[in-house]
Each structure stands twice: as C-alpha cells, then as structure tokens.
Amino acid sequence: MKPLLFLDVDGPLNPYGALSAPAPPDGFHPHRMRPAGWSWPEPLTVLLDPGHGTRLRALQRQYELVWATTWEDEANAWIAPVLGLPPLPCVDFPAPAVPGPAGTFWKTRRLLAYADGRRFAWVDDDLTEADELWARRHHPAPALLLQIDRSVGLRQADFDRLERWADAG
C-alpha cells in the first residue's frame, strides 16, 4: 500500500508569507479566490505555482495524496483546478481547532488517526520537533514530517526528499 502524502495549502502550496514581498517566489502567480469561509469584501489572494501540480501528479505513483488543510474540500474547488490535480480526499478538521498535547500542532493527532498505522509524509509550515517526536512515539509506521518555509513554499529539494523517502520505504 502506498504511503499517504498529507498536503497543507497555506505555506507549502501558497507561500502566504511572501504576499508582502515585492514579487512572489519564482514560479508562483497570484490568484484571487472566494472560498465559502472567506467573509472579507476583497477576494483572498493566493500564490500558486502550476509546476507544483506536475510534481504532485508525478508523486501519485508513490503516494496517495490527501488534503490536510483548513481549506478541507474547498481545496478541490479552488486549489486543485489551478494545479491540474484531480479531486483528492481530505482530512476533516472539526472546529474549533483544539491545541495538541505536549506542544504539538492541533492537526497532528487528527492526521495520525487518519493514517491509521500507514506510512505517511506530511508537508506543512506549522510543524515542529514536538510533532515529529509525537509521531515517532504514537504512530507505528514511519512518518516524514517536512516543515516548509511559508515565505518560499515547496521547492524542488522538498519534492526530491519526498521521492527518496517513498523509494526507501
């Protein structure tokens, strides 16, 4: 069985930390979106790199891709089409977000439960050593947690690491 690849949107795919920069990171283009939960008068600006879609589709040979984002199924309506991805399953995150134990990110326990003993990789901008330690202690299968810089998003080195990790499994 393929490992899961949990994908966060804001940070890895949308380097929102670069929105105030003079120019977006190479390959990223601004898109104006109005997901259902967006209540401000102006559309949300999201930076996306269409090349990520190509790289993620290539990783589908090795992984089962799953949205692990507060966009939840809205990622299929707004993000997937821009990246050329098919609809993906998504982890349901009940509101409100409850802080995790031992300094872990609030998504961590939910993703380990969703993985249900399967190998997984997870790309997110809010990961810390506490999440890695929690996964090692509470998840029976190997897990790769990649903390992504929210100002640059996923880079080729991250895709290479995901590919090597899946091959090594």
Tab-separated table of all heavy atoms in Angstrom, residues 44-95:
chain	number	residue	atom	x	y	z
A	44	LEU	N	-9.598	36.723	-1.528
A	44	LEU	CA	-8.345	36.249	-0.944
A	44	LEU	C	-7.305	36.096	-2.056
A	44	LEU	O	-7.597	35.524	-3.105
A	44	LEU	CB	-8.595	34.885	-0.272
A	44	LEU	CG	-7.396	34.116	0.252
A	44	LEU	CD1	-6.754	34.861	1.425
A	44	LEU	CD2	-7.836	32.721	0.692
A	45	THR	N	-6.110	36.610	-1.838
A	45	THR	CA	-5.022	36.416	-2.792
A	45	THR	C	-4.225	35.190	-2.379
A	45	THR	O	-3.754	35.100	-1.236
A	45	THR	CB	-4.097	37.652	-2.851
A	45	THR	OG1	-4.868	38.777	-3.260
A	45	THR	CG2	-2.958	37.425	-3.832
A	46	VAL	N	-4.113	34.262	-3.302
A	46	VAL	CA	-3.390	33.008	-3.074
A	46	VAL	C	-2.294	32.906	-4.127
A	46	VAL	O	-2.543	33.119	-5.312
A	46	VAL	CB	-4.355	31.810	-3.184
A	46	VAL	CG1	-3.613	30.495	-3.022
A	46	VAL	CG2	-5.466	31.919	-2.156
A	47	LEU	N	-1.078	32.600	-3.690
A	47	LEU	CA	0.044	32.406	-4.611
A	47	LEU	C	0.177	30.912	-4.909
A	47	LEU	O	0.317	30.109	-3.984
A	47	LEU	CB	1.352	32.917	-3.984
A	47	LEU	CG	1.399	34.391	-3.631
A	47	LEU	CD1	2.667	34.718	-2.852
A	47	LEU	CD2	1.303	35.236	-4.894
A	48	LEU	N	0.100	30.548	-6.177
A	48	LEU	CA	0.222	29.137	-6.564
A	48	LEU	C	1.207	28.991	-7.708
A	48	LEU	O	1.296	29.862	-8.575
A	48	LEU	CB	-1.142	28.573	-6.979
A	48	LEU	CG	-2.208	28.527	-5.880
A	48	LEU	CD1	-3.549	28.106	-6.457
A	48	LEU	CD2	-1.788	27.599	-4.749
A	49	ASP	N	1.920	27.878	-7.700
A	49	ASP	CA	2.878	27.531	-8.757
A	49	ASP	C	2.307	26.341	-9.525
A	49	ASP	O	2.229	25.236	-8.984
A	49	ASP	CB	4.223	27.171	-8.129
A	49	ASP	CG	5.282	26.739	-9.127
A	49	ASP	OD1	4.970	26.536	-10.317
A	49	ASP	OD2	6.450	26.594	-8.704
A	50	PRO	N	1.913	26.528	-10.799
A	50	PRO	CA	1.348	25.415	-11.562
A	50	PRO	C	2.314	24.223	-11.669
A	50	PRO	O	1.875	23.088	-11.817
A	50	PRO	CB	1.065	26.002	-12.936
A	50	PRO	CG	1.221	27.466	-12.812
A	50	PRO	CD	1.960	27.767	-11.555
A	51	GLY	N	3.606	24.486	-11.553
A	51	GLY	CA	4.589	23.398	-11.573
A	51	GLY	C	4.420	22.432	-10.413
A	51	GLY	O	4.790	21.263	-10.510
A	52	HIS	N	3.847	22.911	-9.315
A	52	HIS	CA	3.585	22.004	-8.192
A	52	HIS	C	2.621	20.896	-8.598
A	52	HIS	O	2.749	19.756	-8.145
A	52	HIS	CB	3.010	22.770	-7.001
A	52	HIS	CG	4.034	23.493	-6.209
A	52	HIS	ND1	3.710	24.499	-5.342
A	52	HIS	CD2	5.383	23.376	-6.143
A	52	HIS	CE1	4.807	24.956	-4.760
A	52	HIS	NE2	5.836	24.292	-5.245
A	53	GLY	N	1.650	21.232	-9.435
A	53	GLY	CA	0.694	20.218	-9.886
A	53	GLY	C	1.390	19.107	-10.648
A	53	GLY	O	1.126	17.917	-10.423
A	54	THR	N	2.305	19.479	-11.532
A	54	THR	CA	3.066	18.479	-12.294
A	54	THR	C	3.863	17.581	-11.354
A	54	THR	O	3.855	16.354	-11.495
A	54	THR	CB	4.016	19.192	-13.280
A	54	THR	OG1	3.239	20.037	-14.127
A	54	THR	CG2	4.802	18.199	-14.102
A	55	ARG	N	4.538	18.196	-10.377
A	55	ARG	CA	5.357	17.413	-9.439
A	55	ARG	C	4.493	16.525	-8.551
A	55	ARG	O	4.842	15.375	-8.270
A	55	ARG	CB	6.211	18.356	-8.597
A	55	ARG	CG	7.265	19.074	-9.415
A	55	ARG	CD	8.106	19.989	-8.523
A	55	ARG	NE	8.832	20.932	-9.314
A	55	ARG	CZ	8.536	22.234	-9.403
A	55	ARG	NH1	7.510	22.742	-8.740
A	55	ARG	NH2	9.271	23.037	-10.150
A	56	LEU	N	3.346	17.053	-8.114
A	56	LEU	CA	2.460	16.250	-7.267
A	56	LEU	C	1.830	15.101	-8.041
A	56	LEU	O	1.707	13.990	-7.511
A	56	LEU	CB	1.383	17.134	-6.633
A	56	LEU	CG	1.892	18.093	-5.556
A	56	LEU	CD1	0.826	19.113	-5.195
A	56	LEU	CD2	2.362	17.321	-4.323
A	57	ARG	N	1.444	15.344	-9.288
A	57	ARG	CA	0.903	14.239	-10.105
A	57	ARG	C	1.961	13.155	-10.278
A	57	ARG	O	1.644	11.960	-10.244
A	57	ARG	CB	0.407	14.756	-11.450
A	57	ARG	CG	-0.927	15.486	-11.361
A	57	ARG	CD	-1.538	15.783	-12.718
A	57	ARG	NE	-0.645	16.442	-13.656
A	57	ARG	CZ	-0.409	17.759	-13.706
A	57	ARG	NH1	-1.011	18.568	-12.845
A	57	ARG	NH2	0.411	18.257	-14.605
A	58	ALA	N	3.215	13.531	-10.445
A	58	ALA	CA	4.295	12.535	-10.560
A	58	ALA	C	4.429	11.736	-9.261
A	58	ALA	O	4.682	10.528	-9.297
A	58	ALA	CB	5.615	13.219	-10.917
A	59	LEU	N	4.243	12.404	-8.117
A	59	LEU	CA	4.346	11.704	-6.831
A	59	LEU	C	3.191	10.728	-6.592
A	59	LEU	O	3.279	9.863	-5.727
A	59	LEU	CB	4.411	12.705	-5.671
A	59	LEU	CG	5.739	13.419	-5.462
A	59	LEU	CD1	5.615	14.446	-4.341
A	59	LEU	CD2	6.861	12.429	-5.163
A	60	GLN	N	2.119	10.848	-7.366
A	60	GLN	CA	0.998	9.918	-7.194
A	60	GLN	C	1.391	8.485	-7.552
A	60	GLN	O	0.686	7.557	-7.167
A	60	GLN	CB	-0.209	10.364	-8.020
A	60	GLN	CG	-0.919	11.537	-7.392
A	60	GLN	CD	-2.168	11.920	-8.149
A	60	GLN	OE1	-2.137	12.192	-9.345
A	60	GLN	NE2	-3.285	11.953	-7.434
A	61	ARG	N	2.492	8.290	-8.234
A	61	ARG	CA	2.990	6.916	-8.459
A	61	ARG	C	3.448	6.302	-7.146
A	61	ARG	O	3.428	5.092	-6.983
A	61	ARG	CB	4.154	6.932	-9.447
A	61	ARG	CG	3.777	7.304	-10.861
A	61	ARG	CD	4.978	7.169	-11.774
A	61	ARG	NE	6.127	7.880	-11.242
A	61	ARG	CZ	6.624	9.015	-11.726
A	61	ARG	NH1	6.078	9.571	-12.778
A	61	ARG	NH2	7.672	9.586	-11.173
A	62	GLN	N	3.882	7.167	-6.217
A	62	GLN	CA	4.455	6.688	-4.963
A	62	GLN	C	3.567	6.914	-3.748
A	62	GLN	O	3.766	6.271	-2.720
A	62	GLN	CB	5.792	7.398	-4.713
A	62	GLN	CG	6.834	7.132	-5.774
A	62	GLN	CD	7.996	8.081	-5.608
A	62	GLN	OE1	7.906	9.262	-5.901
A	62	GLN	NE2	9.098	7.549	-5.112
A	63	TYR	N	2.652	7.869	-3.844
A	63	TYR	CA	1.847	8.285	-2.700
A	63	TYR	C	0.368	8.337	-3.052
A	63	TYR	O	0.000	8.556	-4.197
A	63	TYR	CB	2.217	9.721	-2.268
A	63	TYR	CG	3.538	9.894	-1.596
A	63	TYR	CD1	4.661	10.289	-2.326
A	63	TYR	CD2	3.679	9.728	-0.226
A	63	TYR	CE1	5.885	10.497	-1.701
A	63	TYR	CE2	4.891	9.933	0.409
A	63	TYR	CZ	5.995	10.322	-0.334
A	63	TYR	OH	7.193	10.534	0.284
A	64	GLU	N	-0.449	8.251	-2.003
A	64	GLU	CA	-1.856	8.625	-2.088
A	64	GLU	C	-1.940	10.047	-1.519
A	64	GLU	O	-1.646	10.264	-0.337
A	64	GLU	CB	-2.730	7.676	-1.264
A	64	GLU	CG	-4.185	8.053	-1.282
A	64	GLU	CD	-5.024	7.170	-0.377
A	64	GLU	OE1	-4.688	5.974	-0.200
A	64	GLU	OE2	-6.021	7.684	0.168
A	65	LEU	N	-2.282	11.018	-2.356
A	65	LEU	CA	-2.336	12.409	-1.934
A	65	LEU	C	-3.633	12.690	-1.183
A	65	LEU	O	-4.711	12.254	-1.593
A	65	LEU	CB	-2.251	13.352	-3.140
A	65	LEU	CG	-1.068	13.164	-4.092
A	65	LEU	CD1	-1.096	14.229	-5.179
A	65	LEU	CD2	0.253	13.189	-3.356
A	66	VAL	N	-3.514	13.466	-0.083
A	66	VAL	CA	-4.658	13.797	0.766
A	66	VAL	C	-4.511	15.249	1.212
A	66	VAL	O	-3.441	15.650	1.692
A	66	VAL	CB	-4.714	12.883	2.016
A	66	VAL	CG1	-5.880	13.263	2.927
A	66	VAL	CG2	-4.784	11.412	1.630
A	67	TRP	N	-5.568	16.025	1.060
A	67	TRP	CA	-5.547	17.383	1.599
A	67	TRP	C	-5.546	17.322	3.120
A	67	TRP	O	-6.369	16.623	3.717
A	67	TRP	CB	-6.769	18.185	1.158
A	67	TRP	CG	-6.856	18.496	-0.296
A	67	TRP	CD1	-7.865	18.135	-1.142
A	67	TRP	CD2	-5.930	19.253	-1.092
A	67	TRP	NE1	-7.609	18.619	-2.409
A	67	TRP	CE2	-6.428	19.308	-2.408
A	67	TRP	CE3	-4.718	19.890	-0.826
A	67	TRP	CZ2	-5.760	19.968	-3.442
A	67	TRP	CZ3	-4.055	20.542	-1.862
A	67	TRP	CH2	-4.580	20.578	-3.137
A	68	ALA	N	-4.631	18.075	3.741
A	68	ALA	CA	-4.571	18.196	5.200
A	68	ALA	C	-4.514	19.687	5.511
A	68	ALA	O	-3.503	20.225	5.956
A	68	ALA	CB	-3.350	17.464	5.748
A	69	THR	N	-5.613	20.366	5.212
A	69	THR	CA	-5.662	21.811	5.246
A	69	THR	C	-6.996	22.286	5.789
A	69	THR	O	-8.011	21.587	5.649
A	69	THR	CB	-5.451	22.373	3.814
A	69	THR	OG1	-5.649	23.790	3.820
A	69	THR	CG2	-6.380	21.730	2.796
A	70	THR	N	-7.001	23.471	6.361
A	70	THR	CA	-8.263	24.041	6.815
A	70	THR	C	-9.155	24.412	5.630
A	70	THR	O	-10.340	24.660	5.816
A	70	THR	CB	-8.031	25.284	7.698
A	70	THR	OG1	-7.230	26.223	6.983
A	70	THR	CG2	-7.343	24.886	9.002
A	71	TRP	N	-8.606	24.393	4.415
A	71	TRP	CA	-9.450	24.568	3.221
A	71	TRP	C	-10.382	23.360	3.072
A	71	TRP	O	-11.384	23.441	2.384
A	71	TRP	CB	-8.591	24.676	1.963
A	71	TRP	CG	-7.861	25.954	1.762
A	71	TRP	CD1	-6.767	26.405	2.471
A	71	TRP	CD2	-8.134	26.943	0.772
A	71	TRP	NE1	-6.357	27.607	1.975
A	71	TRP	CE2	-7.178	27.964	0.925
A	71	TRP	CE3	-9.081	27.050	-0.223
A	71	TRP	CZ2	-7.158	29.082	0.115
A	71	TRP	CZ3	-9.054	28.171	-1.037
A	71	TRP	CH2	-8.107	29.181	-0.858
A	72	GLU	N	-9.996	22.227	3.654
A	72	GLU	CA	-10.715	20.964	3.547
A	72	GLU	C	-11.139	20.726	2.092
A	72	GLU	O	-10.322	20.862	1.188
A	72	GLU	CB	-11.874	20.909	4.544
A	72	GLU	CG	-11.373	20.869	5.974
A	72	GLU	CD	-12.447	20.753	7.014
A	72	GLU	OE1	-13.584	21.227	6.797
A	72	GLU	OE2	-12.151	20.187	8.088
A	73	ASP	N	-12.412	20.395	1.835
A	73	ASP	CA	-12.824	20.058	0.473
A	73	ASP	C	-12.810	21.266	-0.466
A	73	ASP	O	-12.811	21.112	-1.682
A	73	ASP	CB	-14.209	19.402	0.481
A	73	ASP	CG	-14.480	18.666	-0.816
A	73	ASP	OD1	-13.591	17.915	-1.271
A	73	ASP	OD2	-15.569	18.860	-1.396
A	74	GLU	N	-12.776	22.486	0.079
A	74	GLU	CA	-12.656	23.683	-0.762
A	74	GLU	C	-11.355	23.656	-1.563
A	74	GLU	O	-11.257	24.295	-2.611
A	74	GLU	CB	-12.715	24.953	0.087
A	74	GLU	CG	-14.059	25.164	0.722
A	74	GLU	CD	-14.848	26.274	0.082
A	74	GLU	OE1	-14.686	26.531	-1.128
A	74	GLU	OE2	-15.623	26.895	0.805
A	75	ALA	N	-10.348	22.928	-1.083
A	75	ALA	CA	-9.098	22.800	-1.844
A	75	ALA	C	-9.364	22.134	-3.192
A	75	ALA	O	-8.690	22.439	-4.180
A	75	ALA	CB	-8.066	22.010	-1.045
A	76	ASN	N	-10.340	21.236	-3.241
A	76	ASN	CA	-10.690	20.597	-4.514
A	76	ASN	C	-11.371	21.583	-5.468
A	76	ASN	O	-11.245	21.451	-6.683
A	76	ASN	CB	-11.592	19.386	-4.284
A	76	ASN	CG	-10.809	18.212	-3.756
A	76	ASN	OD1	-9.691	17.956	-4.192
A	76	ASN	ND2	-11.378	17.498	-2.810
A	77	ALA	N	-12.092	22.548	-4.936
A	77	ALA	CA	-12.790	23.522	-5.773
A	77	ALA	C	-11.882	24.658	-6.233
A	77	ALA	O	-12.028	25.148	-7.355
A	77	ALA	CB	-13.984	24.095	-5.008
A	78	TRP	N	-10.936	25.076	-5.391
A	78	TRP	CA	-10.153	26.276	-5.678
A	78	TRP	C	-8.691	26.005	-6.011
A	78	TRP	O	-8.125	26.685	-6.882
A	78	TRP	CB	-10.223	27.237	-4.485
A	78	TRP	CG	-11.587	27.775	-4.267
A	78	TRP	CD1	-12.541	27.299	-3.402
A	78	TRP	CD2	-12.183	28.873	-4.945
A	78	TRP	NE1	-13.685	28.048	-3.497
A	78	TRP	CE2	-13.494	29.031	-4.433
A	78	TRP	CE3	-11.739	29.761	-5.933
A	78	TRP	CZ2	-14.354	30.031	-4.879
A	78	TRP	CZ3	-12.593	30.759	-6.363
A	78	TRP	CH2	-13.883	30.880	-5.839
A	79	ILE	N	-8.048	25.081	-5.326
A	79	ILE	CA	-6.605	24.859	-5.480
A	79	ILE	C	-6.318	23.797	-6.542
A	79	ILE	O	-5.500	24.012	-7.436
A	79	ILE	CB	-5.965	24.460	-4.127
A	79	ILE	CG1	-6.299	25.490	-3.038
A	79	ILE	CG2	-4.474	24.254	-4.278
A	79	ILE	CD1	-5.832	26.907	-3.298
A	80	ALA	N	-6.990	22.659	-6.443
A	80	ALA	CA	-6.733	21.549	-7.379
A	80	ALA	C	-6.862	21.969	-8.846
A	80	ALA	O	-5.991	21.624	-9.648
A	80	ALA	CB	-7.644	20.361	-7.063
A	81	PRO	N	-7.906	22.709	-9.249
A	81	PRO	CA	-8.014	23.073	-10.664
A	81	PRO	C	-6.844	23.932	-11.167
A	81	PRO	O	-6.380	23.748	-12.287
A	81	PRO	CB	-9.329	23.856	-10.746
A	81	PRO	CG	-10.123	23.397	-9.576
A	81	PRO	CD	-9.108	23.116	-8.501
A	82	VAL	N	-6.369	24.844	-10.332
A	82	VAL	CA	-5.240	25.693	-10.736
A	82	VAL	C	-3.988	24.853	-10.913
A	82	VAL	O	-3.185	25.094	-11.815
A	82	VAL	CB	-4.999	26.823	-9.708
A	82	VAL	CG1	-3.757	27.628	-10.061
A	82	VAL	CG2	-6.217	27.731	-9.613
A	83	LEU	N	-3.817	23.842	-10.066
A	83	LEU	CA	-2.625	22.992	-10.126
A	83	LEU	C	-2.794	21.819	-11.087
A	83	LEU	O	-1.838	21.079	-11.313
A	83	LEU	CB	-2.286	22.467	-8.726
A	83	LEU	CG	-1.943	23.541	-7.681
A	83	LEU	CD1	-1.620	22.885	-6.350
A	83	LEU	CD2	-0.817	24.434	-8.151
A	84	GLY	N	-3.987	21.623	-11.618
A	84	GLY	CA	-4.213	20.495	-12.515
A	84	GLY	C	-4.282	19.173	-11.792
A	84	GLY	O	-3.943	18.130	-12.350
A	85	LEU	N	-4.741	19.197	-10.542
A	85	LEU	CA	-4.872	17.971	-9.753
A	85	LEU	C	-6.311	17.471	-9.813
A	85	LEU	O	-7.247	18.269	-9.886
A	85	LEU	CB	-4.509	18.226	-8.288
A	85	LEU	CG	-3.062	18.552	-7.982
A	85	LEU	CD1	-2.911	18.920	-6.499
A	85	LEU	CD2	-2.159	17.378	-8.340
A	86	PRO	N	-6.484	16.157	-9.726
A	86	PRO	CA	-7.845	15.634	-9.600
A	86	PRO	C	-8.361	15.928	-8.195
A	86	PRO	O	-7.579	16.282	-7.304
A	86	PRO	CB	-7.644	14.121	-9.801
A	86	PRO	CG	-6.268	13.867	-9.275
A	86	PRO	CD	-5.471	15.098	-9.666
A	87	PRO	N	-9.651	15.759	-7.962
A	87	PRO	CA	-10.145	15.889	-6.582
A	87	PRO	C	-9.441	14.875	-5.683
A	87	PRO	O	-9.225	13.729	-6.080
A	87	PRO	CB	-11.636	15.579	-6.699
A	87	PRO	CG	-11.963	15.840	-8.134
A	87	PRO	CD	-10.727	15.498	-8.909
A	88	LEU	N	-9.064	15.335	-4.511
A	88	LEU	CA	-8.350	14.483	-3.554
A	88	LEU	C	-9.197	14.315	-2.305
A	88	LEU	O	-9.985	15.200	-1.956
A	88	LEU	CB	-7.020	15.142	-3.159
A	88	LEU	CG	-6.034	15.470	-4.267
A	88	LEU	CD1	-4.825	16.215	-3.696
A	88	LEU	CD2	-5.593	14.206	-5.000
A	89	PRO	N	-9.009	13.193	-1.602
A	89	PRO	CA	-9.672	13.077	-0.302
A	89	PRO	C	-9.107	14.136	0.637
A	89	PRO	O	-8.001	14.648	0.413
A	89	PRO	CB	-9.324	11.662	0.161
A	89	PRO	CG	-8.150	11.251	-0.643
A	89	PRO	CD	-8.175	12.037	-1.915
A	90	CYS	N	-9.842	14.465	1.664
A	90	CYS	CA	-9.339	15.461	2.609
A	90	CYS	C	-9.635	15.021	4.042
A	90	CYS	O	-10.618	14.341	4.305
A	90	CYS	CB	-9.907	16.838	2.321
A	90	CYS	SG	-11.673	16.973	2.468
A	91	VAL	N	-8.739	15.421	4.915
A	91	VAL	CA	-8.921	15.177	6.335
A	91	VAL	C	-9.923	16.201	6.842
A	91	VAL	O	-9.822	17.387	6.529
A	91	VAL	CB	-7.581	15.311	7.094
A	91	VAL	CG1	-7.785	15.110	8.590
A	91	VAL	CG2	-6.555	14.331	6.547
A	92	ASP	N	-10.889	15.741	7.604
A	92	ASP	CA	-11.887	16.618	8.198
A	92	ASP	C	-11.332	17.152	9.520
A	92	ASP	O	-10.910	16.377	10.379
A	92	ASP	CB	-13.178	15.830	8.435
A	92	ASP	CG	-14.259	16.669	9.069
A	92	ASP	OD1	-14.418	17.839	8.666
A	92	ASP	OD2	-14.940	16.150	9.967
A	93	PHE	N	-11.312	18.465	9.643
A	93	PHE	CA	-10.851	19.084	10.882
A	93	PHE	C	-12.040	19.756	11.559
A	93	PHE	O	-12.507	20.797	11.106
A	93	PHE	CB	-9.759	20.131	10.602
A	93	PHE	CG	-8.489	19.537	10.089
A	93	PHE	CD1	-8.078	19.801	8.790
A	93	PHE	CD2	-7.705	18.731	10.881
A	93	PHE	CE1	-6.899	19.264	8.296
A	93	PHE	CE2	-6.513	18.184	10.400
A	93	PHE	CZ	-6.119	18.457	9.113
A	94	PRO	N	-12.539	19.155	12.621
A	94	PRO	CA	-13.682	19.755	13.306
A	94	PRO	C	-13.286	21.090	13.943
A	94	PRO	O	-12.163	21.254	14.411
A	94	PRO	CB	-14.068	18.723	14.361
A	94	PRO	CG	-12.887	17.841	14.526
A	94	PRO	CD	-12.078	17.930	13.270
A	95	ALA	N	-14.220	22.032	13.930
A	95	ALA	CA	-13.973	23.330	14.555
A	95	ALA	C	-14.535	23.285	15.967
A	95	ALA	O	-15.521	22.596	16.217
A	95	ALA	CB	-14.631	24.420	13.734
